[in-house]
Amino acid sequence: MQARKKYVLLGLCACCWLVLFYWGGAVQLRLLRLLTRQRGEVVRPWPNWTDRAFLPHYAHLDELQTDPGTAELPRQRRQAWSAIYKDSRCRMETCFDFSRCRRRGREGFRVYIYPSEKNDRVSESYRKILTSIGESRYYTSDPREACLFVLGIDTLDRDQLSGQFVPNVDERIRGYPLWNDGRNHLIFNLYSGTWPNYTEDLGFNIGQAILAKASLNTEHFRPGFDVSIPLFSKDHPQKGGERGWLVRNTIPPRRKYLMMFKGKRYLTGIGSDTRNALHHIHNGKDIVSLTTCRHGKDWEKHKDSRCDHDNLEYERFDYQELLHNSTFCLVPRGRRLGSFRFLESLQAACIPVLLSNGWELPFSDVIQWNQAVIEGDERLLLQVPSTVRAVGNERVLVLRQRTQMLWEAYFSSVDKIVLTTLEIIKDRVFSHISRNKYMWNSLPGGLLVLPEYSTHLAHFPFYYLGLGVSPGQEFTAVIHAVSPLVSQSQPIMKLLQVVSKSKYCSQIIILWNSEKPPPNRSKWPAMPVPLTVTDGRRKTTSRFLPHVAIETEAVLSLDEDTVLLTSEVNFAFLVWRSFPERIVGYPPRSHFWDPLKRAWGYTSKWTNDYSIVLTGAAFYHRYYHYLFSHYLPQSLRALVDRTSNCEDILMNFLVSAVTHLPPIKVAQRKQYKELPSPQGTKSVPWANPEHFNQRQECVNTFASWFGYMPLVHSQFRLDPVLFKDQVSVLRKKYKDLERA
């Protein structure tokens, strides 16, 4: 009992001692502060680390690149950002009106561009952005239909010292009746802030608008709301763009130089720290890191002791030669976080090594950048060489391949950058029908994978191999009929019998495009498979509509006068099952470049070289029906319907643009040649001389829309085993193919 009292007493004493210490100490501290202030003394803050007494012995004042008086603290940056972007916590759920977009399902995603005023200055880059939107399938000229609004005012360059700077943006946008504090608006920007700090200041309040911005800082990026875009130059192509430089998988994957950089060096101001230190890793052998301070008007006034030597070394190496022959490319920050070097490295298959702390990489919501770049740390520059040396050859090859996929899918043109931005926003609006990360990060890329068709990978032909999935074992024949049925001996009757005998045929659909109404079902022959007659509305493009009746993955497209054998159909289908993402068929055609006319040409000459397989007798995946009807612009489809021509060429353009591969020709018993016929003979479409000229024009029109020539030449033909070999016919599976 006595011991218990003793412990209780000790506990109370300890508590009293703690209370007295806390309160007494606080009171004494307050009194001390009061006394020092009364005496006029200034309480010394934390040491100023630029004081010579606190500097390490190896640091010199002239090596410090930032002025402590002008350096911004993180708290100051956040306060400045909050003052500019008052809705910094915006999310789609809080700052976006979904009801404007869901009036007509996913078709309700329409984009309206404000008309430019008469005296507005619009830069070349912003004009390309507006053109890309205006020519896209999402554009609308009626603001009442719009889900998203884009300013006609050029907001790309918000540097007040720039000649492209547009003043009074805040006053002008507040006068727009539809502005609504920026809700459902999309603002594009490449350059923000000005000398010396280049802050995120755009010079106007964006409110609740979505910001599609280059050089975005992760501190200011609003995930799931803003879109980080790449910094691109005014010379970046509108459409198409150049292919990546990794044409084939080069072995060994490493190049002459391990790592390179060649660019400007800033002597003072933000962004100078990293580039001023790059000379430390330059060895002139396998690592070439070159900078020059010879830029700007007053560079000689500010040049340091290294400038002359750096300028001489800078001129020794050619930038393009380094780019073509380097495995890794340094991408240090400039005045802003982004750099033109980023896109240049991607195109060159030179693996980007990023030195830009805090940079939100372009399209980071959907692109897995760890599969294409190496992210370094500006503070650990000297560790970068050992880091890249440790990357194995297999990893190098994978990274280089990924740079090419991303370049060609999303960055090679302004069109692709803008459409990727719109598709990301669209996926947010319709999140229940959106692409997954695999679709965005594998061929052919998210722009060519339409989630309205399906969100399941196994429904797309280009994912079969990666998923280990085999295409279906049946096909649907779609026969394009334009002639009235007047006799049972017409070619279409024999074609129906031949196709229906195939053990792989699931159903036959006749697309009736004749001026006369289709005959009754009793007029058609009895067949072992279902027969459906569908109204084609006398449109040539109707043969590629995504008909609901098509239930199989494989589609056999046929003209009514096609002459085939059942064995030919069976063999071609088996070939298609091995190449489900490509067109597999019989009659080949080719394109060529005419240097005299400076235009593309079209030929049907019999050669070993081809780039087109006519869809009058060809297999392909049904997804291309959907892509043909929903991806291609209405202008191209209208051209086909107006001329009743070129639909097969357009389909070949589309499939080759998706796959970057040529179609496949298979063995055929009978050859077809498309040549202009004598005047007066009009029994076949190509009998008209104008038909051939139209096809020449179509090739150039289609190439112009794609921005490049997607067709790929090939000399590849697949024949059955023992085809035309001098062996017994009994040993051959497809005997009929060799009979005359």
Side-chain angles (χ1 to χ4, degrees):
M1 190 68 181
Q2 293 295 330
R4 181 179 299 176
K5 291 181 178 179
K6 186 185 296 183
Y7 287 127
V8 171
L9 184 61
L10 288 173
L12 291 173
C13 290
C15 292
C16 292
W17 181 81
L18 290 173
V19 170
L20 289 173
F21 179 83
Y22 177 79
W23 288 105
V27 170
Q28 289 178 8
L29 184 60
R30 290 170 185 168
L31 289 173
L32 180 61
R33 288 177 178 173
L34 184 60
L35 289 173
T36 54
R37 289 176 184 173
Q38 288 176 350
R39 293 174 184 173
E41 297 179 4
V42 179
V43 179
R44 182 172 176 81
W46 285 100
N48 187 343
W49 296 111
T50 56
D51 290 347
R52 190 175 296 275
F54 292 97
L55 285 174
H57 295 295
Y58 54 81
H60 299 281
L61 284 175
D62 56 359
E63 291 183 350
L64 297 175
Q65 301 300 325
T66 55
D67 181 5
T70 60
E72 285 188 310
L73 297 174
R75 179 181 296 177
Q76 293 173 332
R77 288 199 301 267
R78 286 193 294 270
Q79 290 174 349
W81 175 263
S82 300
I84 300 165
Y85 304 100
K86 298 179 181 179
D87 296 279
S88 58
R89 296 186 179 181
C90 267
R91 297 295 181 266
M92 294 295 288
E93 295 78 13
T94 59
C95 297
F96 195 87
D97 183 3
F98 290 91
S99 63
R100 294 195 65 98
C101 311
R102 294 175 176 173
R103 298 168 182 172
R104 296 185 298 167
R106 283 184 70 93
E107 293 185 0
F109 189 81
R110 293 287 182 265
V111 184
Y112 174 77
I113 301 175
Y114 284 89
S116 299
E117 296 183 11
K118 189 173 183 180
N119 297 323
D120 276 352
R121 293 175 297 174
V122 179
S123 64
E124 182 66 23
S125 296
Y126 199 62
R127 186 176 290 107
K128 289 179 180 178
I129 290 175
L130 298 182
T131 301
S132 297
I133 297 173
E135 294 180 355
S136 74
R137 60 186 182 276
Y138 299 128
Y139 173 72
T140 179
S141 58
D142 187 351
R144 294 171 297 182
E145 297 178 353
C147 163
L148 204 60
F149 299 85
V150 175
L151 298 178
I153 304 171
D154 187 347
T155 56
L156 288 188
D157 194 340
R158 301 305 299 159
D159 185 343
Q160 296 180 12
L161 301 178
S162 170
Q164 303 292 339
F165 179 80
V166 178
N168 305 322
V169 173
D170 223 350
E171 300 175 8
R172 293 175 60 181
I173 60 178
R174 283 202 302 266
Y176 291 159
L178 298 172
W179 173 244
N180 193 22
D181 195 29
R183 182 166 287 227
N184 288 53
H185 282 66
L186 175 62
I187 293 175
F188 288 91
N189 175 256
L190 295 181
Y191 308 99
S192 62
T194 188
W195 172 268
N197 292 324
Y198 293 94
T199 63
E200 302 286 341
D201 187 5
L202 298 186
F204 66 96
N205 181 18
I206 67 171
Q208 300 179 15
I210 298 172
L211 187 60
K213 186 181 184 305
S215 306
L216 254 176
N217 194 307
T218 52
E219 293 183 11
H220 309 145
F221 178 67
R222 297 172 289 184
F225 192 74
D226 291 332
V227 181
S228 178
I229 63 174
L231 182 66
F232 60 89
S233 70
K234 62 180 181 180
D235 299 322
H236 206 55
Q238 175 77 59
K239 291 176 173 290
E242 295 182 8
R243 295 287 301 273
W245 295 357
L246 187 67
V247 180
R248 294 179 178 84
N249 294 333
T250 53
I251 303 297
R254 294 185 182 272
R255 295 172 171 173
K256 177 180 177 181
Y257 299 105
L258 174 68
M259 186 166 59
M260 65 78 64
F261 173 77
K262 186 177 181 183
K264 297 178 181 178
R265 176 164 70 90
Y266 306 113
L267 299 175
T268 58
I270 191 168
S272 59
D273 292 0
T274 303
R275 296 203 177 193
N276 274 340
L278 291 177
H279 71 280
H280 289 297
I281 62 174
H282 171 74
N283 61 23
K285 298 176 181 177
D286 64 338
I287 298 180
V288 178
S289 180
L290 308 170
T291 58
T292 180
C293 54
R294 188 187 291 131
H295 58 88
K297 297 179 180 179
D298 301 326
W299 72 272
E300 291 185 344
K301 295 180 181 179
H302 304 286
K303 73 175 185 177
D304 57 18
S305 59
R306 286 204 343 261
C307 271
D308 292 334
H309 175 268
D310 286 355
N311 292 340
L312 289 175
E313 192 75 1
Y314 188 86
E315 299 299 331
R316 287 182 54 214
F317 294 86
D318 179 72
Y319 178 68
Q320 291 299 322
E321 193 268 339
L322 289 173
L323 205 56
H324 275 83
N325 293 282
S326 298
T327 306
F328 297 92
C329 284
L330 279 172
V331 183
R333 63 163 297 156
R335 290 301 192 191
R336 300 170 180 87
L337 294 174
S339 168
F340 293 136
R341 298 290 185 272
F342 184 67
L343 291 188
E344 293 171 354
S345 302
L346 286 181
Q347 182 185 7
C350 186
I351 303 166
V353 180
L354 307 181
L355 294 175
S356 185
N357 294 3
W359 182 22
E360 188 71 29
L361 293 180
F363 307 136
S364 55
D365 283 7
V366 296
I367 294 179
Q368 296 172 329
W369 282 110
N370 61 342
Q371 299 177 1
V373 305
I374 293 178
E375 293 193 54
D377 191 320
E378 295 179 64
R379 301 164 298 183
L380 304 174
L381 173 64
L382 298 182
Q383 295 183 9
V384 171
S386 58
T387 299
V388 297
R389 290 185 197 279
V391 181
N393 284 343
E394 292 184 2
R395 177 66 174 161
V396 167
L397 187 58
V398 170
L399 289 169
R400 292 183 66 194
Q401 290 173 336
R402 183 56 51 140
T403 62
Q404 301 303 275
M405 178 261 158
L406 295 176
W407 165 258
E408 294 184 5
Y410 307 118
F411 300 109
S412 62
S413 67
V414 177
D415 255 12
K416 291 178 182 178
I417 293 172
V418 172
L419 289 177
T420 302
T421 303
L422 296 181
E423 292 292 347
I424 289 174
I425 298 173
K426 184 179 179 183
D427 276 1
R428 294 171 182 171
V429 175
F430 303 96
S431 57
H432 59 293
I433 308 177
S434 59
R435 306 163 182 83
N436 57 39
K437 284 290 185 69
Y438 188 90
M439 293 175 175
W440 282 107
N441 291 277
S442 57
L443 291 171
L447 297 184
L448 293 166
V449 179
L450 305 187
E452 297 90 342
Y453 173 77
S454 178
T455 56
H456 298 286
L457 296 175
H459 293 168
F460 296 90
F462 21 82
Y463 300 137
Y464 288 160
L465 184 61
L467 298 175
V469 175
S470 298
Q473 299 184 7
E474 294 182 327
F475 68 83
T476 297
V478 178
I479 303 176
H480 188 232
V482 295
S483 303
L485 189 63
V486 296
S487 171
Q488 292 295 316
S489 61
Q490 287 182 223
I492 191 173
M493 293 300 187
K494 185 176 181 181
L495 182 62
L496 288 170
Q497 296 293 343
V498 168
V499 174
S500 63
K501 288 179 182 178
S502 172
K503 60 182 178 181
Y504 305 114
C505 183
S506 171
Q507 60 177 333
I508 298 176
I509 298 174
I510 297 178
L511 194 63
W512 192 258
N513 266 332
S514 174
E515 295 180 357
K516 295 186 178 181
N520 297 327
R521 181 63 182 86
S522 59
K523 299 291 184 179
W524 300 104
M527 288 177 294
V529 297
L531 174 66
T532 304
V533 181
T534 302
D535 183 12
R537 301 175 185 175
R538 286 190 282 178
K539 287 187 175 182
T540 307
T541 55
S542 62
R543 71 185 304 165
F544 296 134
L545 287 175
H547 301 286
V548 179
I550 301 176
E551 299 176 351
T552 60
E553 295 167 333
V555 177
L556 173 58
S557 176
L558 296 165
D559 286 339
E560 62 181 358
D561 56 351
T562 302
V563 179
L564 288 173
L565 299 175
T566 304
S567 56
E568 288 179 292
V569 173
N570 290 341
F571 175 67
F573 177 66
L574 293 178
V575 171
W576 176 85
R577 293 193 72 233
S578 298
F579 304 94
E581 76 281 11
R582 294 157 81 171
I583 296 177
V584 176
Y586 308 94
R589 300 291 182 264
S590 187
H591 76 286
F592 63 93
W593 176 255
D594 188 337
L596 297 178
K597 297 180 179 179
R598 299 189 60 80
W600 294 104
Y602 171 86
T603 179
S604 59
K605 290 182 179 179
W606 292 348
T607 65
N608 292 329
D609 188 273
Y610 68 92
S611 58
I612 297 171
V613 165
L614 302 184
T615 55
F619 282 97
Y620 50 82
H621 197 279
R622 67 177 177 181
Y623 174 61
Y624 293 123
H625 274 232
Y626 194 90
L627 209 57
F628 187 95
S629 300
H630 293 84
Y631 176 77
L632 295 176
Q634 177 61 33
S635 59
L636 296 187
R637 299 198 301 272
L639 170 64
V640 170
D641 287 329
R642 186 172 63 253
T643 60
S644 298
N645 198 354
C646 303
E647 78 283 358
D648 47 0
I649 300 177
L650 184 55
M651 177 59 86
N652 275 268
F653 265 75
L654 176 63
V655 176
S656 292
V658 172
T659 63
H660 299 296
L661 295 169
I664 293 178
K665 174 175 167 49
V666 293
Q668 185 181 15
R669 183 176 63 94
K670 187 176 181 180
Q671 298 292 333
Y672 297 87
K673 193 169 185 180
E674 181 183 298
L675 291 173
S677 296
Q679 293 288 340
T681 305
K682 295 187 179 181
S683 57
V684 290
W686 53 84
N688 186 354
E690 187 62 25
H691 174 84
F692 198 82
N693 294 332
Q694 286 175 347
R695 295 175 79 79
Q696 298 265 15
E697 295 174 2
C698 285
V699 169
N700 287 281
T701 301
F702 299 159
S704 175
W705 184 83
F706 280 92
Y708 70 108
M709 173 51 73
L711 296 178
V712 182
H713 285 281
S714 176
Q715 296 181 353
F716 183 64
R717 190 184 80 180
L718 286 175
D719 299 336
V721 177
L722 301 178
F723 180 67
K724 291 190 176 181
D725 284 359
Q726 300 299 319
V727 297
S728 173
V729 177
L730 298 176
R731 297 175 60 187
K732 300 182 178 182
K733 183 176 181 180
Y734 302 98
K735 307 177 185 66
D736 296 340
L737 266 65
E738 299 185 33
R739 296 175 184 174

